[in-house]
Structures are given as C-alpha cells and as structure tokens.
Amino acid sequence: MEEREISQAVIGRLPRYHRYLGELMADGVERISSNELSKRMKVTASQIRQDLNNFGGFGQQGYGYNVKYLYNEIGKILGLDQIHNMIIIGTGNLGQALANYAAFGDRGFILKGLFDVNPRLQGVAIRGVQVRLMDELEDFLKKNQIEIAVLTIPKTKALEVANTLVNNGVRAIWNFAHIDLNLPEDVIVENVHLSESLMKLSYNISRYNGEHEKN
Amino acid sequence: MEEREISQAVIGRLPRYHRYLGELMADGVERISSNELSKRMKVTASQIRQDLNNFGGFGQQGYGYNVKYLYNEIGKILGLDQIHNMIIIGTGNLGQALANYAAFGDRGFILKGLFDVNPRLQGVAIRGVQVRLMDELEDFLKKNQIEIAVLTIPKTKALEVANTLVNNGVRAIWNFAHIDLNLPEDVIVENVHLSESLMKLSYNISRYNGEHEKN
C-alpha cells in the first residue's frame, strides 16, 4: 500500500477502530455502515471515512465496510501481521503486569526476555520467560534479535539503559520511565507517562469544579 | 483565575511543563527564558508562550519565567494543590504498581482503598492500605468520600463496576480497562489503553521499515 505522511492523530485512532472491529467480529457482524460504526464509537461518520481514506478507503458505496477485511487491513497498517520480538527491562509490578498481558502475544508481540537489577527475581519465570540480571543484557541482545524494549525502570537509569539497547540493535522503545529519552532520530520511542495522564484527570476535575462554582 | 475553554492538547502538555520545571527547581535553577526552556523540552519557544498565555502568561519581558512560581501555578491549574481521595479497583500487578507509586501521594492523590475479587489478596497491605473484597465496595463508598477510582480490572467487569462507583459519588475514573465506558457526561474519564499505545509503536516500526524498503 502506498503511504503518505499520516498524522499521529489519525494513527492514534486506528487501534480503537481495530478494537471495535474485533468486537464486531466476535459478535458475528460481517459488515457495517460508517453510520452504524459512528454510533457505536461516538465519532462522526465523516471522521471515520476521512481517517480510513488516508489508507485508501476500504468502504463500498451502499454496502459499508466488510468487518473482517477492515479489521485485517487495519491490523496490517498497525504492523500486527508482523512478529515483534520484545524484552521488558524492569520486572517490578508494572513490568510483570505487561509480561502477563496475554493479548500482546496474540498480536505478534513476543516476549523474549525479562530483566531486572534485583537478584531475588533472577530465574523467576513469567509466562515461561525467566528473569535475567541486567549484566546479561548486552550479551543477550547480541545473541537475539530484539526489536522492541519495554522500559519499566526508574528515570535515573532509563537513558543509560536505553543507550545500551540502541547500541545493540533495539529499534523501538516503549518507555514508561518518567523522562524524555533523547535518542538518535531513527529510534522509535512511544512514551507512557502515567502520572501525566493522572494530572490530566485532575485538571478536568478542577475545571469542572470551577465551572460549577460559577453557576 | 478566569478560565476559557482550553484545548485538551494544551492540557496534555501542562504535566510535561510541570515535570521540567520540577527538575529545574531540583537543580536549583530560579529562572529560565522561554528560549532556554524550549531547548530543553524540544518544543518551540512560541509554543511555550502560546500554551502559557492560555492561563495568563506568567512570563516577564527580559526576565523569563520564575521557575518555582510557574511550577506552583501550573500545579494549581492541574489541581495538584488539592487533595484527591483515590481508590484502586483491581489489585493485580498493574493495580499494585500504581498503589506503590509514591509520587502520586506527593501530588495530593491519596490512596484510601484497594479492592479485588481475589480472596487471597484480602487484608494484604500495600503502603499501609489493606485490600478489601469487592462486596465491601458500596459500603466503603458510602462511608468515605472518594473522588477518583482507578480501574485496573478486565473489560468484561469494567462498566458494571464503573456504574456502581458513579452511583455512589465517584466523580472521576482513571480507566485502564480496555473498553470505552459510556457514563453520564458529568463523570470525568481518563483512559489509558496500553495496547493501543503499543500498536502506535508498532505502526511506527512498520512505517519506518516501509520507508527504508523504498530507498
């Protein structure tokens, strides 16, 4: 498929389309109009059409969307038809939560390694993958082709570890450390800053309170 | 402070300003120009000025920003000067990770309760808060004023639990369940859909691969 430059806002909405289409498939729905999809997802039908037109459309006039076909096509756009070897650095609660999330494996994200600084975790297995200590990381990366590293470690160590990862061939980092990683431009970084999300929530509470005081 | 309707994009950037200003304070920096802040944060100085102008500015020509003052003011806008009583529903790995995150308490998010369906977790204490079983939830909500509930439970149960929360006075939900909650409009919901974030990462890997194949 020819790809133009697609805005990150559109990309950000694709996983949600994928999720709704997956649910429709599970419900046995074979096709859906953009109006119906729009009602379910609470976005306008024109938004849906515009978003999908970025990738060539997929819809047929008067027929709507073939649910399974659209699900698969969006999956391909998202790279879910590929295998992505993944390691998790930091096997605390958050790292374990991510390691235990079976759906990642179903979508091609294959957990190949777990790492931690804590010797008490060494050898503990999560979903059949044993925790290794950090001093094994470089050697492990040289022997295994790892595409994605998940960083669930404190921010003080994050940049140093990220550099080790990148220098040993890791191309993408899913970063939960509360820091912006300054890495070479060809490294793909996706940040999840949980406390920033909580602050947005708290902003919206304050704003709501403020509006109600005025009334 | 008078508030106009501020876009969620601007709000989404405020926690990051807050974080950088906090780091500057920790480094003993007392004031900073928008140009310097711009270099550190890798956003344009005009973006910074525009964002902050939404709230009245804060800068002085030729002086720049007073770091501590700006940190505190942004904190107030984000509601971090308020106390927010919080409970976590779902005390698996993710719930425990969030319960253990000390920085939330420092910012006024006070953990008041932990709930789970698993009887083996009953009475287990995390940061001094004991896990209760779900059948105690309603009674707990009637006796305690809880503003924020964190949902780290499977999506199949999320809407039912969310309705119980809202019917018992909870006003804001930090939702990690992989579902869009259809709740009354005055309930504030902030979603963290982790698998959608991972899909964005994988999209960007695929796009990068695609571009390199073309060259």
Side-chain angles (χ1 to χ4, degrees):
Chain A
M1 184 181 310
E2 282 298 314
E3 281 183 33
R4 285 160 287 157
E5 188 67 39
I6 313 288
S7 83
Q8 287 292 313
V10 176
I11 305 314
R13 287 192 289 268
L14 289 184
R16 193 160 171 263
Y17 290 117
H18 193 257
R19 169 156 56 93
Y20 273 83
L21 290 162
E23 286 168 6
L24 287 167
M25 269 171 67
D27 292 346
V29 178
E30 287 179 12
R31 64 176 166 129
I32 192 164
S33 66
S34 52
N35 284 330
E36 263 175 86
L37 191 56
S38 147
K39 253 186 264 169
R40 282 200 179 225
M41 295 188 62
K42 296 184 192 280
V43 293
T44 65
S46 84
Q47 168 93 83
I48 292 176
R49 283 189 294 262
Q50 260 179 45
D51 282 349
L52 298 181
N53 276 338
N54 280 303
F55 305 96
F58 307 120
Q60 270 172 281
Q61 199 80 41
Y63 175 86
Y65 297 107
N66 177 313
V67 170
K68 189 175 175 188
Y69 176 75
L70 186 53
Y71 176 84
N72 286 333
E73 289 301 309
I74 291 178
K76 279 186 213 166
I77 294 166
L78 291 170
L80 305 181
D81 59 334
Q82 311 283 318
I83 294 293
H84 300 286
N85 287 338
M86 189 164 91
I87 58 173
I88 296 176
I89 319 267
T91 318
N93 283 314
L94 181 56
Q96 289 184 34
L98 298 172
N100 274 314
Y101 193 48
F104 291 155
D106 300 341
R107 290 181 185 128
F109 301 95
I110 310 297
L111 183 64
K112 288 289 185 179
L114 291 165
F115 292 85
D116 205 279
V117 290
N118 185 348
R120 282 193 298 174
L121 287 173
Q122 189 177 21
V124 168
I126 299 171
R127 293 195 161 261
V129 177
Q130 290 197 332
V131 180
R132 290 178 169 82
L133 290 183
M134 286 300 283
D135 55 16
E136 298 175 60
L137 177 62
E138 257 192 272
D139 193 49
F140 181 89
L141 292 171
K142 288 188 167 79
K143 288 181 184 153
N144 296 273
Q145 250 196 321
I146 302 301
E147 193 173 41
I148 301 174
V150 186
L151 277 193
T152 48
I153 56 176
K155 66 176 177 179
T156 45
K157 290 286 175 198
L159 186 57
E160 184 192 331
V161 171
N163 281 321
T164 303
L165 292 164
V166 169
N167 292 337
N168 288 282
V170 170
R171 313 209 7 254
I173 293 180
W174 197 20
N175 176 43
F176 289 76
H178 202 203
I179 187 175
D180 298 317
L181 302 169
N182 289 323
L183 296 171
E185 279 204 359
D186 60 345
V187 179
I188 295 150
V189 178
E190 175 75 19
N191 291 309
V192 182
H193 291 321
L194 292 176
S195 63
E196 299 191 0
S197 161
L198 183 56
M199 287 183 196
K200 272 179 76 182
L201 181 74
S202 122
Y203 169 84
N204 283 316
I205 294 174
S206 298
R207 188 185 60 158
Y208 184 88
N209 289 348
E211 276 169 12
H212 273 240
E213 278 159 25
K214 268 179 254 162
N215 298 341
Chain B
M1 181 182 312
E2 281 297 316
E3 280 184 30
R4 285 160 288 157
E5 187 67 37
I6 312 288
S7 83
Q8 287 292 313
V10 176
I11 305 314
R13 287 192 289 269
L14 288 184
R16 194 161 170 262
Y17 290 119
H18 193 258
R19 169 156 56 93
Y20 274 84
L21 291 162
E23 286 168 5
L24 287 166
M25 268 171 69
D27 292 345
V29 178
E30 288 179 11
R31 64 178 167 126
I32 192 163
S33 66
S34 52
N35 284 329
E36 263 175 84
L37 191 57
S38 145
K39 253 187 263 170
R40 281 199 180 227
M41 295 189 61
K42 297 186 193 282
V43 293
T44 64
S46 83
Q47 168 92 83
I48 292 176
R49 283 189 296 262
Q50 262 179 47
D51 283 349
L52 297 182
N53 275 340
N54 279 302
F55 304 96
F58 307 118
Q60 270 173 281
Q61 199 81 40
Y63 175 87
Y65 297 107
N66 177 314
V67 171
K68 191 175 172 186
Y69 175 75
L70 185 53
Y71 176 84
N72 286 333
E73 289 302 308
I74 291 179
K76 279 185 213 166
I77 294 166
L78 291 170
L80 305 181
D81 58 335
Q82 310 284 320
I83 294 295
H84 300 285
N85 287 340
M86 190 166 90
I87 59 173
I88 297 176
I89 319 267
T91 317
N93 282 314
L94 181 56
Q96 288 184 37
L98 298 172
N100 274 312
Y101 193 48
F104 292 154
D106 299 341
R107 290 180 186 129
F109 301 94
I110 310 298
L111 183 63
K112 289 288 183 178
L114 291 165
F115 291 85
D116 205 279
V117 289
N118 186 348
R120 282 192 299 175
L121 286 173
Q122 188 178 21
V124 169
I126 299 171
R127 294 195 160 262
V129 177
Q130 290 198 332
V131 179
R132 289 177 168 84
L133 289 185
M134 285 301 283
D135 54 17
E136 299 175 59
L137 177 62
E138 257 192 274
D139 193 49
F140 181 89
L141 291 171
K142 287 189 167 79
K143 287 180 183 152
N144 296 272
Q145 248 196 323
I146 301 300
E147 193 173 41
I148 301 174
V150 186
L151 276 193
T152 49
I153 56 176
K155 66 176 179 180
T156 45
K157 290 287 174 199
L159 186 57
E160 184 193 330
V161 172
N163 281 321
T164 301
L165 292 164
V166 169
N167 292 336
N168 289 281
V170 170
R171 312 208 8 252
I173 293 180
W174 198 20
N175 175 44
F176 288 77
H178 203 203
I179 188 175
D180 298 317
L181 301 169
N182 289 325
L183 296 172
E185 278 202 2
D186 60 344
V187 179
I188 294 152
V189 178
E190 175 75 20
N191 291 309
V192 181
H193 291 321
L194 291 176
S195 64
E196 299 190 1
S197 161
L198 183 57
M199 287 184 196
K200 272 179 76 182
L201 182 74
S202 121
Y203 168 83
N204 284 315
I205 294 173
S206 298
R207 189 184 61 158
Y208 184 89
N209 289 347
E211 277 169 10
H212 273 239
E213 277 159 25
K214 269 181 251 160
N215 298 337

